[in-house]
């Protein structure tokens, strides 16, 4: 059985701490935009409610450590619900919220962060190939000590469908059906593809916006960097990049000159504490994971403008937009 998409304790703490801050600001923005933009306000409330339900599902998923995603069991209903909620939240954010946040600063960063969060969930729970699959270990060939079988001459058995040593180029014998690899059971909800490139692009855009539009100690910026660090470690297996990003983010907090109220200070203090754990994550196991994907994690230059905007936001390819039947999930 594949290692579940039930995340470990540090990743779970990271996601929950980031989600709490996101939900708090979502409620504030939904209330503030109620008079000026009722439609945007209603979309924010919908995403807030969806996020609260999704958080509860993730709490339950944390308790499940192993799962065969090709079997139709009752436990799969939880994962199907997580994927469905994330898919619907992504459509709302991408099609209804982002087009209307150009004139907002904090909400703009939060919207792109939510986009990255939903793709993060796709990578954790529905990515193909799975980020949790482990390679089959290769065993060294023992030396041939004189008499006995030459262990180095052993070969893997050929594919039975290829007809053994003498391969059968013709059709299969009657009654012998070809073996097919089962598809993930949630493929009817979301295409079973590699979501890592899109998720990485979303996090890059969200991190750049947070660097340019928000102060170093702003809770939304810390939320972006915290989940980005978790994504680097757990999905790209880039432990070194994750720790450097967490360290740089904490350094930016202490170098920030902007003031904040008590409420924002409490949020920032909690996120900094979690970032401190991310800095030490994986050090006991000998550093970064071999085979890690190369991702640039250096802090984006903080080039603020008078209007608070960064110009044109890069277009993020969305493999979810082409799904039929979810153009309007409301």
């Amino acid at each position: 059985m594949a290692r579940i998409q039930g995340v470990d304790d540090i990743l779970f703490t990271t996601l929950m701490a980031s989600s709490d801050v996101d939900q708090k600001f979502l409620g504030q923005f939904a209330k503030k935009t109620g008079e000026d933009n009722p439609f945007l306000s209603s979309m924010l409330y919908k995403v807030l409610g969806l996020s609260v339900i999704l958080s509860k599902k993730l709490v339950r998923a944390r308790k499940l450590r192993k799962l065969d995603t090709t079997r139709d069991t009752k436990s799969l209903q939880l994962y199907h619900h997580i994927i469905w909620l994330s898919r619907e939240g992504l459509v709302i954010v991408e099609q209804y919220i982002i087009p209307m946040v150009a004139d907002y600063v904090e909400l703009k960063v939060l919207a792109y962060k939510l986009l990255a969060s939903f793709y993060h969930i796709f990578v954790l729970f529905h990515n193909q190939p799975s980020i949790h699959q482990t390679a089959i270990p290769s065993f060294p060939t023992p030396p041939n000590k004189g008499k006995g079988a030459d262990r180095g001459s052993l070969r893997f058995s050929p594919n039975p469908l290829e007809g053994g040593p003498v391969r059968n180029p013709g059709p299969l014998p009657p009654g012998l059906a070809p073996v097919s690899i089962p598809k993930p059971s949630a493929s009817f909800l979301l295409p079973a593809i590699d979501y890592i490139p899109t998720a990485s692009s979303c996090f890059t855009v969200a991190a750049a916006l947070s660097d340019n539009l928000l102060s170093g100690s702003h809770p939304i910026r810390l939320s972006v960097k915290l989940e980005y660090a978790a994504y680097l470690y757990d999905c790209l297996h880039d432990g070194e990049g994750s720790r450097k990003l967490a360290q740089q983010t904490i350094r930016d907090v202490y170098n920030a000159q902007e003031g904040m109220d008590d409420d924002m200070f409490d949020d920032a203090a909690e996120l900094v504490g979690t970032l401190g754990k991310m800095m030490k994550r994986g050090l006991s196991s000998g550093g970064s994971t071999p085979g890690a994907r190369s991702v640039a994690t250096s802090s984006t230059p903080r080039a603020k403008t008078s209007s608070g905007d960064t110009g044109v936001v890069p277009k993020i390819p969305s493999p979810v937009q082409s799904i039929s039947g979810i153009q309007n999930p409301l």
Side-chain angles (χ1 to χ4, degrees):
M1 291 204 12
R3 179 179 176 263
I4 167 68
Q5 338 247 355
V7 292
D8 63 13
D9 291 338
I10 296 181
L11 175 59
F12 175 79
T13 302
T14 300
L15 293 177
M16 291 301 101
S18 179
S19 177
D20 290 343
V21 172
D22 297 345
Q23 293 172 10
K24 180 178 181 179
F25 279 94
L26 270 174
Q28 294 178 1
F29 294 141
K31 183 178 180 180
K32 291 179 181 179
T33 57
E35 295 183 1
D36 298 336
N37 196 334
F39 182 74
L40 174 59
S41 177
S42 66
M43 294 298 104
L44 293 174
Y45 275 123
K46 289 181 183 295
V47 174
L48 174 60
L50 185 148
S51 178
V52 172
I53 298 175
L54 185 58
S55 297
K56 295 179 181 179
K57 300 296 180 181
L58 291 173
V59 170
R60 292 182 57 193
R62 173 178 176 255
K63 300 178 182 179
L64 300 178
R65 293 295 177 180
K66 292 183 179 180
L67 174 71
D68 184 353
T69 57
T70 64
R71 296 178 58 189
D72 188 12
T73 61
K74 292 183 178 179
S75 62
L76 286 180
Q77 296 178 2
L78 171 63
Y79 297 89
H80 291 172
H81 203 181
I82 289 175
I83 294 172
W84 179 80
L85 288 171
S86 302
R87 186 194 73 176
E88 298 302 294
L90 175 66
V91 173
I92 295 175
V93 172
E94 195 169 40
Q95 297 185 6
Y96 298 98
I97 294 180
I98 287 182
M100 295 187 291
V101 298
D103 296 332
Y104 302 88
V105 177
E106 296 172 322
L107 180 55
K108 182 177 182 180
V109 177
L110 179 58
Y112 280 93
K113 193 269 180 181
L114 291 173
L115 198 67
S117 296
F118 289 129
Y119 277 110
H120 186 187
I121 293 177
F122 293 161
V123 174
L124 285 173
F125 288 87
H126 193 60
N127 203 69
Q128 290 296 323
S130 172
I131 62 171
H132 303 293
Q133 290 178 349
T134 56
I136 300 176
S138 58
F139 299 96
T141 302
N144 183 18
K145 299 180 179 179
K147 297 181 179 180
D150 183 6
R151 309 285 298 182
S153 65
L154 296 180
R155 297 292 185 268
F156 290 107
S157 299
N159 191 329
L161 299 181
E162 296 176 348
V166 180
R167 301 192 176 184
N168 181 15
L172 294 173
L176 182 60
V179 178
S180 60
I181 300 177
K183 295 181 180 180
S185 61
S187 297
F188 71 99
L189 291 172
L190 202 66
I193 60 177
D194 188 3
Y195 290 95
I196 288 180
T198 304
S200 299
S201 298
C202 290
F203 274 111
T204 300
V205 172
L209 288 174
S210 67
D211 284 337
N212 289 315
L213 298 179
L214 303 178
S215 65
S217 58
H218 197 289
I220 294 180
R221 181 179 185 271
L222 298 181
S223 176
V224 172
K225 297 303 182 74
L226 177 59
E227 187 169 351
Y228 193 8
Y231 170 78
L232 290 175
Y233 190 96
D234 292 284
C235 299
L236 302 189
H237 309 296
D238 184 6
E240 184 66 22
S242 174
R243 290 187 290 270
K244 285 183 178 180
L245 178 60
Q247 183 180 28
Q248 181 60 47
T249 303
I250 294 177
R251 186 179 294 113
D252 292 341
V253 172
Y254 286 104
N255 292 334
Q257 302 297 325
E258 299 82 0
M260 62 174 65
D261 55 29
D262 293 339
D263 200 16
M264 293 181 65
F265 178 83
D266 292 338
D267 293 336
E270 180 181 359
L271 293 172
V272 167
T274 309
L275 283 166
K277 297 178 181 179
M278 295 297 298
M279 284 179 52
K280 303 176 182 178
R281 194 177 182 195
L283 290 179
S284 58
S285 60
S288 58
T289 306
R293 300 199 183 199
S294 177
V295 176
T297 60
S298 59
S299 179
T300 306
R302 305 176 56 80
K304 300 211 177 194
T305 61
S306 58
S307 60
D309 203 344
T310 57
V312 179
V313 178
K315 178 63 176 178
I316 301 174
S318 174
V320 181
Q321 286 181 339
S322 60
I323 300 178
S324 59
I326 61 169
Q327 293 301 321
N328 189 347
L330 308 178

